[in-house]
């Protein structure tokens, strides 16, 4: 607070984490190598920001308690202690957290326990008790009051699209309401009844439209309503966002400053407000948002020590054998794995088919360092190969959609003038996108990469007959692909026959543990050729 005889000013910093997904330590769990992520690094930045400014608000924007082996081990195998991520937020003195969609992944008992253990409130106005209509976790906002009487209202909102993903048993008795309509109601209350000077909306959701042109960037399902919140809800000063795992800062939309800090704690979002007192009322004179990177930041060693026991148990679990393999599922050459049917991809597809009931499946080799499975399989081997927190969806698509998807994948390959095969520019620039090349089970196909793009599928059959391009088929794939991610527009807006919201890595591990021993098989149902 600065003060003169006639003028008072104040600066407030709002710090945001979002989509931490259980990321506490700066490591890759696949191999324990260093990684520039995690709440332990974020902690050091928060401490630095607090040392510079006494007016600091710290908010977590959701998807906190799920996503790493640490989080999984606690939720599923050792849930009695305080949730490790909650322990971290308690230690750091967070002001509030917002419910994310992944907070429900382990069921309401695990979620309620984490909320009970929290020394901060959890906020969400848009998830209500179905019977009473009251917000699920009580009061959906907090008021922070600072020197000089400045009142800052923070309202929590969550994407209402959760019933499209979540196990119905995990959301019994809850109703998910439109974020925009909910915001209109509660922002009005904050302004007219609570008389706040600043309205901050912390929304576990992202943007459905291009921030510059306003053009839709995805199907307007209501999953992401950030653009509408800025354009249609009067009175919002700051919009903290997440869910999409984007890195957004330095942008104002209709006068609302926005920020989104990526995922896993790679950055801390910061909004800085400058206010002044005029005619007895505080006004915002300037506002800006930035992202503070954790790269080269030393982690908070006290926080690491607080979760030391959790981590030890997790590491022991990761290295415990979960099953055995007969045959060969090693990845010796990633390009060869993508050129001809192989045991690892076939296994993942067959697990997806068996657990979902679908008779057709696709999956990908996500990167070029996936090692495959050794003869003695551990949980660490699972997370080394299935590196993303994907879930599964069964969608109903046409034979033509399948063919179009194969043509999209076929663009992955390019032939050099020397006749060798390489990854095409569209799949490696500006970043490698190996995860966007799919391989299928349940159909028989052949791709000839000597042919022009769009004409490379030279054989496509189902049960020994040409695939009927007009018929409908139920296909299981990861949720990212089912939503059209990776330029697979043919999958967008298709009927969802079944949603399996458990992480695929967990499904693979459970499948192996249940059987004890798995066998490497290759039925050679597909191949890539060139003349």
């Amino acid at each position: 607070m600065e003060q003169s005889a006639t003028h008072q000013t104040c600066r407030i910093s709002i710090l945001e984490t979002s989509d931490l997904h259980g990321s506490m330590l700066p490591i890759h769990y696949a191999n324990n190598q260093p990684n520039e992520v995690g709440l332990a690094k974020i902690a050091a930045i928060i401490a630095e920001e607090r040392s510079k400014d006494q007016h600091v608000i710290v908010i977590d924007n959701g998807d906190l308690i799920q996503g790493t082996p640490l989080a999984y081990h606690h939720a599923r195998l050792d849930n009695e202690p305080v949730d490790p991520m909650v322990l971290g937020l308690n230690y750091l003195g967070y002001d509030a957290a917002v419910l994310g969609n992944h907070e429900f992944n382990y069921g309401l008992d695990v979620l309620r326990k984490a909320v009970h253990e929290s020394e901060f409130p959890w906020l969400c106005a848009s998830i209500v008790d179905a019977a009473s209509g009251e917000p699920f976790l009580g009061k959906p906002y907090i008021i922070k009051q600072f020197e000089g009487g400045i009142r800052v209202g923070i309202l929590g909102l969550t994407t209402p699209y959760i019933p499209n993903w979540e196990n119905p048993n995990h959301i019994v008795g809850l109703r998910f309401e439109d974020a925009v309509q909910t915001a209109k109601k509660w922002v009005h209350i904050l302004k007219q009844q609570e008389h706040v000077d600043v309205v901050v909306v912390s929304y576990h959701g992202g943007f459905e439209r291009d921030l510059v042109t306003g053009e839709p960037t995805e199907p307007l399902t209501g999953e992401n309503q950030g653009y509408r919140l800025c354009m249609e809800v009067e009175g919002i000063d700051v919009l903290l966002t997440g869910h999409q795992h984007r890195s957004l800062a330095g942008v104002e939309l209709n006068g609302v400053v926005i920020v989104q800090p990526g995922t896993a704690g790679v950055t801390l979002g910061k909004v800085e407000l400058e206010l002044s007192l005029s005619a007895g009322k505080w006004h915002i004179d300037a506002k800006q948002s930035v992202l503070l990177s954790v790269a080269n930041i030393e982690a908070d060693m006290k926080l690491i020590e607080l979760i030391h026991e959790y981590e030890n148990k997790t590491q022991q679990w990761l290295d415990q054998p979960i099953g055995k393999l007969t045959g060969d599922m090693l990845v010796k050459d990633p390009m060869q794995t993508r050129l001809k049917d192989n045991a690892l991809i076939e296994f993942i597809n067959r697990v997806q088919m068996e657990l979902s009931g679908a008779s057709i499946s696709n999956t990908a080799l996500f990167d070029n360092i996936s090692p495959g499975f050794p003869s003695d399989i551990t949980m660490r081997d699972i997370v080394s190969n299935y590196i993303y927190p994907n879930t599964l969806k069964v969608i109903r698509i046409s034979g033509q959609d399948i063919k179009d998807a194969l043509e999209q994948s076929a663009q992955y390959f390019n032939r050099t003038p020397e006749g060798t095969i390489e990854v095409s520019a569209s799949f490696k620039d500006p970043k490698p996108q190996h995860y966007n090349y799919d391989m299928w089970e349940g159909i028989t196909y052949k791709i000839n990469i000597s042919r022009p793009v769009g004409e490379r599928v030279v054989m496509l059959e189902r049960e020994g007959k040409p695939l009927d391009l007009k018929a409908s088929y139920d296909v299981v794939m990861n949720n990212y692909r089912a939503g059209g991610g990776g330029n697979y527009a043919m999958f967008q807006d298709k009927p969802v026959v079944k949603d399996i919201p458990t992480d695929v890595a967990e499904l693979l591990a459970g499948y192996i543990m249940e059987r004890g021993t798995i066998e490497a098989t290759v039925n050679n149902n597909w191949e890539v050729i060139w003349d």
Side-chain angles (χ1 to χ4, degrees):
M1 177 79 63
E2 296 180 8
Q3 185 172 350
S4 67
T6 58
H7 194 61
Q8 284 184 292
T9 63
C10 182
R11 184 177 64 195
I12 296 174
S13 294
I14 303 160
L15 307 180
E16 179 207 11
T17 50
S18 189
D19 300 274
L20 284 169
H21 285 289
S23 180
M24 175 67 74
L25 300 179
I27 61 171
H28 292 280
Y29 274 100
N31 52 22
N32 284 338
Q33 291 298 304
N35 192 15
E36 298 284 16
V37 298
L39 185 63
K41 279 178 169 274
I42 290 286
I45 304 179
I46 291 174
E48 173 67 18
E49 289 299 310
R50 282 180 169 147
S51 73
K52 295 188 298 186
D53 194 338
Q54 61 179 325
H55 302 312
V56 176
I57 300 170
V58 188
I59 305 292
D60 184 78
N61 191 55
D63 282 1
L64 175 71
I65 64 172
Q66 175 276 344
T68 58
L70 175 72
Y72 177 82
H73 182 270
H74 171 74
R76 290 284 194 241
L77 303 173
D78 190 20
N79 192 234
E80 188 172 337
V82 175
D83 185 285
M85 298 305 292
V86 168
L87 188 67
L89 267 59
N90 286 345
Y91 162 73
L92 291 169
Y94 268 63
D95 292 288
V98 175
L99 286 174
N101 51 294
H102 283 283
E103 258 64 72
F104 295 91
N105 285 177
Y106 299 124
L108 286 176
D109 287 346
V110 172
L111 172 56
R112 286 193 172 104
K113 173 181 172 292
V115 170
H116 178 73
E117 294 163 348
S118 301
E119 297 171 3
F120 49 86
W122 287 74
L123 310 177
C124 184
S126 54
I127 302 177
V128 301
D129 181 272
S132 68
E134 293 298 313
F136 168 47
L137 295 178
K139 202 169 185 178
Y141 64 83
I142 60 171
I143 308 292
K144 291 288 291 183
Q145 186 156 323
F146 295 106
E147 184 181 348
I150 300 172
R151 290 170 60 82
V152 180
I154 300 108
L155 173 70
L157 297 171
T158 303
T159 173
Y161 213 60
I162 291 173
N164 293 276
W165 308 305
E166 193 53 75
N167 182 334
N169 294 329
H170 293 174
I171 53 175
V172 171
L174 300 179
R175 188 170 73 241
F176 298 82
E177 299 190 332
D178 180 85
V180 174
Q181 296 307 314
T182 302
K184 288 179 178 178
K185 170 186 173 179
W186 289 100
V187 169
H188 179 79
I189 289 172
L190 286 171
K191 298 287 284 187
Q192 300 303 316
Q193 296 181 21
E194 296 285 4
H195 306 293
V196 299
D197 302 291
V198 178
V199 173
V200 177
V201 172
S202 187
Y203 166 53
H204 189 81
F207 295 93
E208 72 280 31
R209 294 179 180 273
D210 184 279
L211 298 181
V212 176
T213 67
E215 290 297 312
T217 53
E218 63 183 36
L220 300 179
T221 61
E223 177 181 351
N224 295 297
Q225 297 178 287
Y227 190 91
R228 287 188 61 202
L229 285 168
C230 292
M231 302 303 290
E232 298 179 27
V233 182
E234 186 177 353
I236 299 176
D237 299 302
V238 178
L239 183 65
L240 311 178
T241 65
H243 185 56
Q244 293 174 313
H245 297 186
R246 297 169 69 182
S247 296
L248 299 173
V251 179
E252 283 193 31
L253 185 59
N254 194 31
V256 181
V257 64
I258 65 169
V259 68
Q260 187 171 150
T263 184
V266 68
T267 59
L268 177 69
K270 177 183 178 182
V271 174
E272 191 169 80
L273 305 177
E274 295 182 12
L275 298 93
S276 62
L277 185 64
S278 175
K281 185 174 177 61
W282 286 98
H283 300 272
I284 299 174
D285 297 325
K287 48 189 174 183
Q288 63 173 339
S289 61
V290 295
L291 296 177
L292 307 176
S293 173
V294 302
N296 301 314
I297 296 292
E298 290 293 325
D300 185 314
M301 295 309 297
K302 185 175 179 181
L303 178 52
I304 290 176
E305 182 59 31
L306 280 176
I307 59 99
H308 178 70
E309 186 175 346
Y310 296 84
E311 180 64 14
N312 274 352
K313 291 179 179 179
T314 301
Q315 291 292 342
Q316 291 172 19
W317 167 68
L318 283 172
D319 288 328
Q320 286 180 352
I322 63 171
K324 291 186 175 295
L325 166 69
T326 59
D328 185 1
M329 275 195 200
L330 294 175
V331 176
K332 302 178 181 69
D333 183 330
M335 180 60 84
Q336 290 302 314
T337 299
R338 298 185 180 102
L339 289 172
K340 190 173 177 61
D341 193 18
N342 62 88
L344 177 67
I345 298 301
E346 183 165 305
F347 171 71
I348 295 173
N349 272 324
R350 288 198 175 279
V351 171
Q352 293 185 170
M353 292 160 70
E354 186 168 333
L355 296 182
S356 69
S359 58
I360 302 175
S361 173
N362 67 46
T363 192
L365 184 70
F366 292 128
D367 60 29
N368 284 345
I369 60 174
S370 296
F373 291 159
S375 56
D376 293 305
I377 304 171
T378 67
M379 191 65 199
R380 198 181 301 278
D381 296 316
I382 300 291
V383 300
S384 296
N385 288 280
Y386 210 100
I387 60 175
Y388 293 117
N390 293 331
T391 58
L392 293 180
K393 285 184 184 290
V394 179
I395 60 174
R396 185 159 292 159
I397 61 177
S398 69
Q400 185 64 55
D401 292 328
I402 293 175
K403 185 174 187 296
D404 292 343
L406 288 170
E407 290 288 1
Q408 171 65 27
S409 280
Q411 296 181 47
Y412 178 83
F413 302 102
N414 183 51
R415 284 195 73 188
T416 69
E418 296 75 29
T420 59
I421 307 301
E422 65 178 6
V423 180
S424 65
S426 61
F427 280 78
K428 63 183 179 183
D429 298 322
K431 66 175 183 177
Q433 299 174 51
H434 304 301
Y435 50 84
N436 282 331
Y437 169 73
D438 290 335
M439 294 159 277
W440 293 62
E441 192 67 35
I443 56 175
T444 304
Y445 64 95
K446 189 176 294 187
I447 292 171
N448 187 338
I449 57 177
S450 296
R451 296 176 61 84
V453 167
E455 302 175 15
R456 290 181 165 182
V457 178
V458 293
M459 190 264 279
L460 177 55
E461 295 180 350
R462 166 94 169 136
E463 298 176 343
K465 299 177 182 179
L467 188 74
D468 186 345
L469 300 185
K470 296 182 179 180
S472 293
Y473 300 92
D474 291 350
V475 180
V476 60
M477 61 189 73
N478 69 57
N479 61 305
Y480 172 75
R481 187 69 78 241
N487 297 316
Y488 286 80
M490 70 291 298
F491 296 149
Q492 289 180 345
D493 299 323
K494 293 301 165 70
V496 177
V497 177
K498 190 171 186 179
D499 196 340
I500 303 175
T502 304
D503 286 0
V504 178
E506 297 175 23
L507 295 174
L508 293 171
Y511 184 94
I512 296 170
M513 285 189 283
E514 186 176 315
R515 285 153 185 80
T517 300
I518 59 171
E519 182 180 358
T521 63
V522 182
N523 63 4
N524 295 309
N525 67 301
W526 64 270
E527 65 175 335
V528 176
I529 63 172
W530 54 95
D531 296 332

